[in-house]
Amino acid sequence: MADRLLLILFLVSYLFVSGVTSRNITIENKCNYTIWPGILSGGLGPPTGGFALKKGEARVINVPSGWSGRFWGRSLCSTNSTGGFSCATGDCGSGKVECTGGGTPPVTLAEFTIDSNGGQDFYDVSLVDGYNLPMVVVPQGDETCSTVGCVNDLNPTCPDELRVRGNTSLMTLATPIIACTSPCEAFNSSEYCCTGAYSTPQTCVPTDYSRVFKRACPRAYSYAYDDSNSTFTCASQPNYVITFCPSSALNTTK
Ligand SMILES: *[C@@H]1O[C@H](CO)[C@@H](O)[C@H](O)[C@H]1NC(C)=O
Ligand SMILES: *[C@@H]1O[C@H](CO)[C@@H](O)[C@H](O)[C@H]1NC(C)=O
Ligand SMILES: *[C@@H]1O[C@H](CO)[C@@H](O)[C@H](O)[C@H]1NC(C)=O
Ligand SMILES: *[C@@H]1O[C@H](CO)[C@@H](O)[C@H](O)[C@H]1NC(C)=O
Ligand SMILES: *[C@@H]1O[C@H](CO)[C@@H](O)[C@H](O)[C@H]1NC(C)=O
Ligand SMILES: *[C@@H]1O[C@H](CO)[C@@H](O)[C@H](O)[C@H]1NC(C)=O
């Protein structure tokens, strides 16, 4: 009896302290075209997957307490003559709209850890794997929690050597830039990848490339050790809205 009471007390305090509630993450597409968001869970089970989101549409994803994972957008997707589905950016390699793995770089990522550490969320937008679509993450209902991500389209300012252009059978200077590769991926050097002699926050410092990324996306990870200004926490257990191609400027005062 006493054991049972203890157990109940434990469960009640656990629910109270860690706030075992699910959270809603709304994904909205303000781009001028269809995108195909992808979701990859970091371990704790669903949600993982992907779907089409037409211009102007939104979808609510429910994530359990303790969940960690990432969201990204795929663009320029199509189904080929044998029914295989693939995307020019962010493709997850499944051959289907549904994803079972992560997006192929270059891809802009929104990363979350929900209710870690006694109810604190960690979230960021990362350009460490490059950039494909502008996206912001907006915590709902708590002014003290920061909006993060990229409002500006980075593709037009992407350095030549990092540009990924669309449909290569039409290769001309007018072929649109559809993504921007990370310098680590492009050059595989320890300086850009923060490996070897550059594997500490002291030695891995901003580069000309990371500065281009930072300029377009002041509130996103521009290289692997960009932690101090790029990972955000929120303790009020908010819901989040992820907006692709946001139109409004980021409020950088919070
Ligand atoms: C999540 O959204 C559903 C409806 O889509 C709503 O019923 C539910 O209360 C929401 N949960 C939270 C934690 O806001
Ligand atoms: C979006 O589409 C509309 C109508 O097709 C077009 O007028 C507008 O220029 C487009 N905007 C962008 C940013 O591509
Ligand atoms: C169609 O797409 C699938 C999945 O991407 C791929 O495996 C297959 O080779 C493609 N088929 C053709 C005819 O291009
Ligand atoms: C690339 O452009 C060519 C010529 O317009 C077209 O036939 C082909 O389907 C396009 N490929 C893709 C992947 O969009
Ligand atoms: C990147 O460089 C490392 C060490 O120089 C090497 O081991 C690795 O195979 C390279 N990766 C690619 C994809 O070229
Ligand atoms: C972080 O932001 C501060 C103030 O905006 C700036 O002075 C500093 O250089 C930034 N640090 C990094 C690593 O970007």
Side-chain angles (χ1 to χ4, degrees):
M1 188 64 197
D3 280 359
R4 229 159 125 195
L5 190 62
L6 260 172
L7 180 66
I8 288 165
L9 276 174
F10 172 77
L11 282 176
V12 167
S13 63
Y14 179 76
L15 280 166
F16 182 74
V17 171
S18 67
V20 182
T21 54
S22 66
R23 241 59 95 61
N24 286 337
I25 299 181
T26 301
I27 305 178
E28 60 179 26
N29 179 14
K30 290 199 175 161
C31 302
N32 227 354
Y33 41 84
T34 301
I35 59 163
W36 287 261
I39 308 167
L40 179 64
S41 166
L44 252 192
T48 281
F51 49 88
L53 203 58
K54 293 199 187 99
K55 164 187 171 182
E57 283 183 348
R59 183 180 296 202
V60 178
I61 307 294
N62 195 254
V63 300
S65 177
W67 188 83
S68 69
R70 51 174 57 174
F71 295 81
W72 72 98
R74 292 169 286 170
S75 67
L76 303 164
C77 304
S78 57
T79 303
N80 67 16
S81 56
T82 55
F85 179 83
S86 64
C87 302
T89 77
D91 190 51
C92 62
S94 63
K96 293 185 273 193
V97 172
E98 186 82 359
C99 288
T100 50
T104 305
V107 67
T108 317
L109 298 172
E111 305 176 305
F112 289 87
T113 301
I114 300 293
D115 278 338
S116 156
N117 234 346
Q120 197 157 47
D121 297 346
F122 293 86
Y123 60 103
D124 66 77
V125 167
S126 171
L127 306 181
V128 173
D129 283 343
Y131 169 94
N132 67 334
L133 293 170
M135 87 201 280
V136 294
V137 174
V138 188
Q140 302 296 295
D142 185 344
E143 287 294 306
T144 66
C145 297
S146 297
T147 292
V148 305
C150 308
V151 171
N152 299 321
D153 186 1
L154 187 146
N155 287 331
T157 53
C158 180
D160 257 351
E161 57 276 34
L162 300 181
R163 287 179 172 182
V164 179
R165 291 183 181 275
N167 197 340
T168 45
S169 68
L170 299 171
M171 264 305 206
T172 68
L173 274 182
T175 305
I177 303 155
I178 59 172
C180 191
T181 307
S182 76
C184 167
E185 180 98 354
F187 309 121
N188 192 29
S189 74
S190 33
E191 181 186 5
Y192 297 128
C193 298
C194 298
T195 53
Y198 297 89
S199 62
T200 68
Q202 288 73 40
T203 52
C204 194
V205 296
T207 62
D208 286 349
Y209 291 118
S210 77
R211 277 189 275 269
V212 169
F213 283 52
K214 202 74 184 174
R215 216 168 292 138
C217 311
R219 292 184 165 226
Y221 262 90
S222 59
Y223 67 101
Y225 281 106
D226 196 9
D227 301 58
S228 54
N229 290 348
S230 308
T231 291
F232 295 84
T233 59
C234 186
S236 56
Q237 306 187 313
N239 290 322
Y240 292 90
V241 175
I242 299 174
T243 304
F244 286 96
C245 306
S247 47
S248 61
L250 271 186
N251 179 354
T252 51
T253 59
K254 57 173 186 172

